[in-house]
Amino acid sequence: MVRVWVTGGAGFIGSHLVRHLIHTKSDWEIHTIDALTYAGNLENLADVLDHKRHIFHKVDIADSNSVENLWTEAPPDIILHLAAESHVDRSILSPLDFVHTNVLGTVTLLEAARRHWRGRSDTLFYQVSTDEVYGSLAEGEFFSEASPYDPRSPYSASKAAADHFVRAYGHTYGLPYLISNCGNNYGPYQFPEKLIPLTITHLMERKPIPVYGSGQNVRDWIHAEDHVRAIDLLIQRGQRGRTYLIGAENPRPNLEVVRLLCRLYDELTGSSGSESLITFVKDRPGHDFRYAIKPSPSLKALGWSPQVSFEEGLRQTIAWYLSHPDWLDRVRSGAYQDYYRFQYGERLG
Ligand code: NAD
Ligand code: DAU
């Protein structure tokens, strides 16, 4: 039995990953650590939560005593590290939360891993990271593994710091690690604060859809299931001590994405005129202009390619939100309302 610890498994990508591992790895025991912040939700794991090979632990990854106790009880063979504060707009409002989880939390895990893995080389610390650590591109440029780190938001600075710590532990202590940097994920279970789920929920409620600035900023989109399949392959066959870029070669200006969502929503629901909801609002401070990824050639050579086309993935995602109104109501109760008022109150009047 291989013992795998997934941090952030109750979040958006983490829940896709835990479900995937439970269904495809019959000899893996999966432990999820998650603090269940506003972004973490046990409902995301409902179908696997009580599975006989899954154990859930509500713990803050920066709480070293708790992590130590858990790993003394059930030492990990593999750590898949996804827990993070992940929303750029929130990082602009409260950077220290990002330092706590993304920097201190990561180093706390690395310290515990170093203690528990002394003398072992058959282990893996897998750091799930972002293309945002590479900064912002000009038109026609792409990120590659050779791109220098140039983080420009508190979120990306905290993820870059975490990546550097992972490499430092590999170099200094010989910790077996792997890092992958991926572009913008979308799909079911994404908290409705990021562009795609926010647009879908505003379409459902016929509310103005806030597009920052000119809408010409570019993001490179990938379905979370394609990201998870790449992570799975890299766990099995990725070279330790290396970094891989994961992307579906799907860079698009935000306005194009929002217009596409409006069209698909109208087709799926029989509504009309959704595009009239698009509202240009005050830009995000320090808004990176363009992200676009050349996925690692070695990842493609291992046999990975994205399986979900953007239109089909968006159709499926819209359908998922339409059929989960209770999930939406519950995740948007309480603190979400305060954040939403602060972030969009003035912008949308
Ligand atoms: P998310 O915000 O949906 O989920 C994050 C999870 O981490 C939540 O379940 C939350 O409860 C948990 N968490 C937060 N702080 C914690 C703490 N101190 N201790 C324990 N758990 C804590 O994030 P996501 O979009 O699923 O992203 C997952 C990972 O993938 C992150 O590391 C993120 O940087 C990275 N990533 C995300 C994207 C994307 O587009 N969403 C793209 C590339 C990389
Ligand atoms: O690139 C990978 C990163 O993608 C991940 O590491 C982050 O965790 C994830 O949040 C995402 O960051 P972005 O800032 O790119 O995602 P977001 O959905 O917040 O914004 C996408 C684009 O849409 C960005 O250019 C800002 C714009 N936007 C966003 C929101 C929330 C709007 O125009 N209006 C909005 O209301």
Side-chain angles (χ1 to χ4, degrees), residues 156-189:
S156 53
S158 68
K159 290 295 289 187
D163 292 5
H164 287 319
F165 269 105
V166 173
R167 286 196 188 94
Y169 272 65
H171 182 74
T172 309
Y173 306 114
L175 187 99
Y177 76 89
L178 202 153
I179 300 177
S180 60
N181 300 82
C182 186
N184 286 57
N185 284 227
Y186 71 96
Y189 299 103

Side-chain angles (χ1 to χ4, degrees), residues 106-127:
T106 302
V107 180
T108 302
L109 296 173
L110 287 167
E111 269 299 275
R114 180 164 81 91
R115 276 195 298 277
H116 283 274
W117 287 349
R118 204 161 279 141
R120 283 187 70 181
S121 57
D122 58 339
T123 55
L124 173 64
F125 189 102
Y126 189 132
Q127 160 80 350

Side-chain angles (χ1 to χ4, degrees), residues 86 130-132 155 184 195 210 212 219 254 284 287 344:
S86 70
T130 169
D131 61 350
E132 298 199 13
Y155 164 70
N184 286 57
L195 182 67
Y212 295 164
R219 294 294 181 267
N254 294 333
R284 171 185 280 174
H287 196 175
Y344 294 105

Side-chain angles (χ1 to χ4, degrees), residues 332-348:
R332 287 191 303 180
S333 61
Y336 177 82
Q337 300 300 337
D338 298 333
Y339 165 76
Y340 184 88
R341 265 193 296 276
F342 197 84
Q343 186 66 23
Y344 294 105
E346 210 176 279
R347 278 185 161 117
L348 291 175

Side-chain angles (χ1 to χ4, degrees), residues 64-82:
S64 55
N65 288 336
S66 296
V67 173
E68 184 59 35
N69 290 339
L70 289 176
W71 289 0
T72 301
E73 278 283 303
D77 299 306
I78 297 175
I79 298 162
L80 306 176
H81 178 33
L82 290 88

Side-chain angles (χ1 to χ4, degrees), residues 6-11 32-37 40-41 56-60 83:
V6 181
T7 74
T32 299
I33 305 187
D34 199 297
L36 298 180
T37 67
N41 182 355
F56 180 83
H57 311 268
K58 182 176 184 306
V59 162
D60 179 343

